[in-house]
Amino acid sequence: MKKLKNIVLLGLFSLAVISCEVEDGQNLNGPTTDTASGDLSRAELIQTMAGALADMRGRLGTQIDANAVAGREYWRFQSSDPRWTADLLTGTLDNNTFYTTGPFAARYSTVKDINIILGGLENSSADFSDAEKAATRGFANTIKAHELLMVLNQQFQNGIRLDVNDPNNLGPFVSYDAALTAIFDMLTSAATDLSNGGAAFPFTVPSGFDGLKADAAGAITPADFATFTNGLAARVEAYRGNYASVNTLLGNSFMDMAGNLTTGAYFTFSLTGADIANPLFFAKNSTVANARIAHPSFIADAEAGDTRLGKVVLRETENADTGMMEANPLTSDGLTGTHDVFIYDSNVASVAIMRNEELILLSAEANHISDPVAAVAAIDVIRTAAGLPAYSGGTTPADLVTEILNQRRYSLYAEGGHRWIDLRRFDRISDLEPLDRTGDGTFVQFPIPANENQ
């Protein structure tokens, strides 16, 4: 893996292959880094933004898998690469391998794309109106903040670089707390820009954001997109424990206590042109060559009747003699599982970036100290949707945290590694014990890639 400054310098939207997975989005055969950053035209904005959004999906599968394995949501079996069941389950991590370098480089590739757009917009001689510039800045900085948060969620107390504008003079790594503050400030600025962004974006917003639209028949507006910006800012504030701010932001987000829990923003995929397929899809009953096997505790710990158990399916095979279906557990490296992870039913299924369900659970968290009645009401929205009875446990902050973490475990299962992040921020990584095998261990952060100078 090359140093970050080399990764982001070469080819705005080139294809890079690391460990047999596509790193970046699409080759647009259009604007170059120099032309886009020097004087961004309308046509170049459309192309460069499309490329940046395509690049957001680079190494998405690797990052979600790594976080999910760390949080014992599922096991990742890959017979050609035992590091999934060795390094990531023992906590003995390599700073120069795919699960460390791949997501780090992919996220910063998108950040570089966005920096080029922002610089080009500033230098543009095109006839962008002030509202169009504000809308573009707001959208771009929201995407940039998301990508930096993705890096930070893996690096944790290692911190991250915020300033990567000059690939020959990269900024220093800043602390976890400083990075969260900077990301929040970026989202605050983005929301202000979006509020001044007029009625339309001067580029195409992917269909994965259509769920944010206030008017289902119209195009997504800057005001619509700001509801995602504020939702993302609420996530950051929850990480910082600023719960009054979380409530304020949720009030300006797309959260809807009575709404569809799946409403939100999504990554989309297709098999056309230079696009990519959903990297998190595996067919049922996959073999050890490539499989995602639900951690047995996900099934064992679930409350009776929880419909969220539908996110995993029993592995079965037909008995050749009787014609009856029989259990078909899968074993690898001393680990045996009975259920496949099956959230995505095809290789073009969308992957959630943020959903209403998460926002409602953030509301529960934001109120668990100051207003336990409101916290329980939000919890019960989730429990009812999952086919469970109303919450009847204790209402101390500690009791409610336990319940909220449990609901987040099942509601956000296998979507982004939320469980590992949640247990870490509440200092409850020990909840992952007992571990699966003698010699296994836990960890709270991935190492800084070997070639990153600090």
Side-chain angles (χ1 to χ4, degrees), residues 154-176:
Q154 288 203 309
Q155 291 296 310
F156 192 40
Q157 296 297 343
N158 288 330
I160 61 172
R161 297 188 198 274
L162 293 171
D163 180 6
V164 294
N165 277 297
D166 181 355
N168 295 309
N169 187 28
L170 296 171
F173 279 77
V174 304
S175 71
Y176 177 74

Short mmCIF file of all heavy atoms in Angstrom, two decimals, residues 154-176:
data_model
loop_
_atom_site.label_atom_id
_atom_site.label_comp_id
_atom_site.label_asym_id
_atom_site.label_seq_id
_atom_site.Cartn_x
_atom_site.Cartn_y
_atom_site.Cartn_z
N GLN A 154 -12.68 3.46 12.88
CA GLN A 154 -11.72 2.36 12.93
C GLN A 154 -10.45 2.75 13.69
O GLN A 154 -9.87 1.94 14.40
CB GLN A 154 -11.36 1.90 11.53
CG GLN A 154 -12.48 1.13 10.83
CD GLN A 154 -11.97 0.23 9.74
OE1 GLN A 154 -11.21 0.63 8.86
NE2 GLN A 154 -12.40 -1.02 9.76
N GLN A 155 -10.03 3.99 13.54
CA GLN A 155 -8.76 4.41 14.15
C GLN A 155 -8.89 4.80 15.62
O GLN A 155 -7.94 4.74 16.38
CB GLN A 155 -8.17 5.58 13.35
CG GLN A 155 -7.68 5.19 11.97
CD GLN A 155 -6.53 4.22 12.03
OE1 GLN A 155 -5.55 4.43 12.76
NE2 GLN A 155 -6.63 3.13 11.28
N PHE A 156 -10.06 5.27 16.03
CA PHE A 156 -10.38 5.61 17.43
C PHE A 156 -9.29 6.49 18.04
O PHE A 156 -9.01 7.56 17.53
CB PHE A 156 -10.62 4.33 18.23
CG PHE A 156 -11.24 4.53 19.58
CD1 PHE A 156 -12.25 5.46 19.78
CD2 PHE A 156 -10.82 3.78 20.67
CE1 PHE A 156 -12.83 5.65 21.03
CE2 PHE A 156 -11.40 3.95 21.93
CZ PHE A 156 -12.39 4.89 22.11
N GLN A 157 -8.63 6.06 19.11
CA GLN A 157 -7.69 6.93 19.81
C GLN A 157 -6.39 7.16 19.03
O GLN A 157 -5.59 8.02 19.42
CB GLN A 157 -7.37 6.37 21.20
CG GLN A 157 -8.56 6.32 22.14
CD GLN A 157 -9.15 7.69 22.47
OE1 GLN A 157 -8.52 8.72 22.26
NE2 GLN A 157 -10.38 7.70 22.99
N ASN A 158 -6.18 6.45 17.95
CA ASN A 158 -5.05 6.77 17.07
C ASN A 158 -5.24 8.14 16.44
O ASN A 158 -4.27 8.79 16.05
CB ASN A 158 -4.92 5.75 15.93
CG ASN A 158 -4.42 4.42 16.41
OD1 ASN A 158 -3.67 4.34 17.38
ND2 ASN A 158 -4.82 3.36 15.72
N GLY A 159 -6.49 8.56 16.29
CA GLY A 159 -6.79 9.80 15.60
C GLY A 159 -6.68 9.66 14.10
O GLY A 159 -6.36 8.58 13.57
N ILE A 160 -6.94 10.76 13.40
CA ILE A 160 -6.90 10.76 11.94
C ILE A 160 -6.31 12.07 11.44
O ILE A 160 -6.18 13.03 12.18
CB ILE A 160 -8.32 10.59 11.34
CG1 ILE A 160 -9.23 11.76 11.76
CG2 ILE A 160 -8.91 9.24 11.71
CD1 ILE A 160 -10.57 11.78 11.05
N ARG A 161 -5.97 12.07 10.16
CA ARG A 161 -5.60 13.31 9.50
C ARG A 161 -6.87 14.03 9.05
O ARG A 161 -7.75 13.41 8.44
CB ARG A 161 -4.74 13.05 8.27
CG ARG A 161 -3.39 12.39 8.51
CD ARG A 161 -2.60 12.39 7.21
NE ARG A 161 -1.51 11.44 7.21
CZ ARG A 161 -0.29 11.67 7.68
NH1 ARG A 161 -0.02 12.85 8.22
NH2 ARG A 161 0.65 10.74 7.61
N LEU A 162 -6.94 15.31 9.31
CA LEU A 162 -8.04 16.12 8.80
C LEU A 162 -7.63 16.88 7.55
O LEU A 162 -8.42 17.05 6.62
CB LEU A 162 -8.50 17.11 9.87
CG LEU A 162 -9.16 16.50 11.11
CD1 LEU A 162 -9.37 17.58 12.17
CD2 LEU A 162 -10.49 15.83 10.76
N ASP A 163 -6.39 17.36 7.52
CA ASP A 163 -5.90 18.18 6.42
C ASP A 163 -5.11 17.31 5.46
O ASP A 163 -3.98 16.92 5.74
CB ASP A 163 -5.03 19.31 6.96
CG ASP A 163 -4.48 20.21 5.85
OD1 ASP A 163 -4.88 20.03 4.67
OD2 ASP A 163 -3.66 21.09 6.16
N VAL A 164 -5.73 16.98 4.32
CA VAL A 164 -5.04 16.21 3.28
C VAL A 164 -5.13 16.95 1.94
O VAL A 164 -5.03 16.34 0.88
CB VAL A 164 -5.60 14.77 3.16
CG1 VAL A 164 -5.31 13.98 4.42
CG2 VAL A 164 -7.11 14.80 2.89
N ASN A 165 -5.32 18.26 2.00
CA ASN A 165 -5.45 19.03 0.77
C ASN A 165 -4.19 18.99 -0.07
O ASN A 165 -4.26 18.91 -1.29
CB ASN A 165 -5.80 20.49 1.10
CG ASN A 165 -7.27 20.69 1.34
OD1 ASN A 165 -8.10 20.48 0.45
ND2 ASN A 165 -7.63 21.07 2.55
N ASP A 166 -3.04 19.09 0.57
CA ASP A 166 -1.76 19.08 -0.14
C ASP A 166 -1.12 17.70 0.03
O ASP A 166 -0.62 17.38 1.12
CB ASP A 166 -0.83 20.16 0.41
CG ASP A 166 0.51 20.21 -0.32
OD1 ASP A 166 0.76 19.35 -1.19
OD2 ASP A 166 1.32 21.11 0.01
N PRO A 167 -1.14 16.86 -1.01
CA PRO A 167 -0.62 15.50 -0.86
C PRO A 167 0.87 15.45 -0.55
O PRO A 167 1.37 14.43 -0.09
CB PRO A 167 -0.94 14.85 -2.22
CG PRO A 167 -1.07 15.99 -3.16
CD PRO A 167 -1.64 17.12 -2.37
N ASN A 168 1.56 16.55 -0.79
CA ASN A 168 2.99 16.59 -0.48
C ASN A 168 3.28 17.17 0.89
O ASN A 168 4.44 17.22 1.32
CB ASN A 168 3.72 17.43 -1.54
CG ASN A 168 3.65 16.78 -2.92
OD1 ASN A 168 3.97 15.61 -3.06
ND2 ASN A 168 3.22 17.54 -3.90
N ASN A 169 2.25 17.60 1.58
CA ASN A 169 2.42 18.20 2.90
C ASN A 169 1.18 17.90 3.74
O ASN A 169 0.40 18.80 4.08
CB ASN A 169 2.65 19.71 2.78
CG ASN A 169 2.99 20.35 4.11
OD1 ASN A 169 3.56 19.71 5.00
ND2 ASN A 169 2.63 21.62 4.26
N LEU A 170 1.00 16.65 4.05
CA LEU A 170 -0.19 16.23 4.77
C LEU A 170 -0.19 16.76 6.20
O LEU A 170 0.85 16.87 6.85
CB LEU A 170 -0.27 14.69 4.81
CG LEU A 170 -0.43 14.01 3.45
CD1 LEU A 170 -0.28 12.51 3.61
CD2 LEU A 170 -1.77 14.35 2.83
N GLY A 171 -1.38 17.08 6.69
CA GLY A 171 -1.51 17.55 8.05
C GLY A 171 -1.26 16.45 9.05
O GLY A 171 -1.22 15.26 8.72
N PRO A 172 -1.11 16.80 10.31
CA PRO A 172 -0.82 15.82 11.35
C PRO A 172 -2.05 14.99 11.71
O PRO A 172 -3.18 15.36 11.39
CB PRO A 172 -0.40 16.69 12.53
CG PRO A 172 -1.20 17.95 12.35
CD PRO A 172 -1.25 18.17 10.85
N PHE A 173 -1.82 13.88 12.38
CA PHE A 173 -2.91 13.16 13.00
C PHE A 173 -3.39 13.96 14.21
O PHE A 173 -2.59 14.43 15.01
CB PHE A 173 -2.45 11.77 13.46
CG PHE A 173 -2.41 10.75 12.37
CD1 PHE A 173 -1.39 10.74 11.43
CD2 PHE A 173 -3.41 9.79 12.27
CE1 PHE A 173 -1.35 9.79 10.42
CE2 PHE A 173 -3.39 8.84 11.26
CZ PHE A 173 -2.36 8.84 10.33
N VAL A 174 -4.70 14.13 14.32
CA VAL A 174 -5.27 14.80 15.48
C VAL A 174 -5.97 13.77 16.34
O VAL A 174 -6.29 12.67 15.90
CB VAL A 174 -6.25 15.92 15.06
CG1 VAL A 174 -5.56 16.92 14.13
CG2 VAL A 174 -7.50 15.35 14.40
N SER A 175 -6.22 14.11 17.59
CA SER A 175 -6.80 13.17 18.54
C SER A 175 -8.23 12.81 18.17
O SER A 175 -8.89 13.49 17.37
CB SER A 175 -6.77 13.76 19.94
OG SER A 175 -7.72 14.83 20.05
N TYR A 176 -8.72 11.75 18.79
CA TYR A 176 -10.10 11.31 18.57
C TYR A 176 -11.09 12.43 18.89
O TYR A 176 -11.98 12.75 18.09
CB TYR A 176 -10.39 10.09 19.44
CG TYR A 176 -11.81 9.58 19.37
CD1 TYR A 176 -12.27 8.89 18.26
CD2 TYR A 176 -12.69 9.79 20.44
CE1 TYR A 176 -13.58 8.42 18.20
CE2 TYR A 176 -14.00 9.32 20.39
CZ TYR A 176 -14.44 8.63 19.27
OH TYR A 176 -15.73 8.18 19.21
#
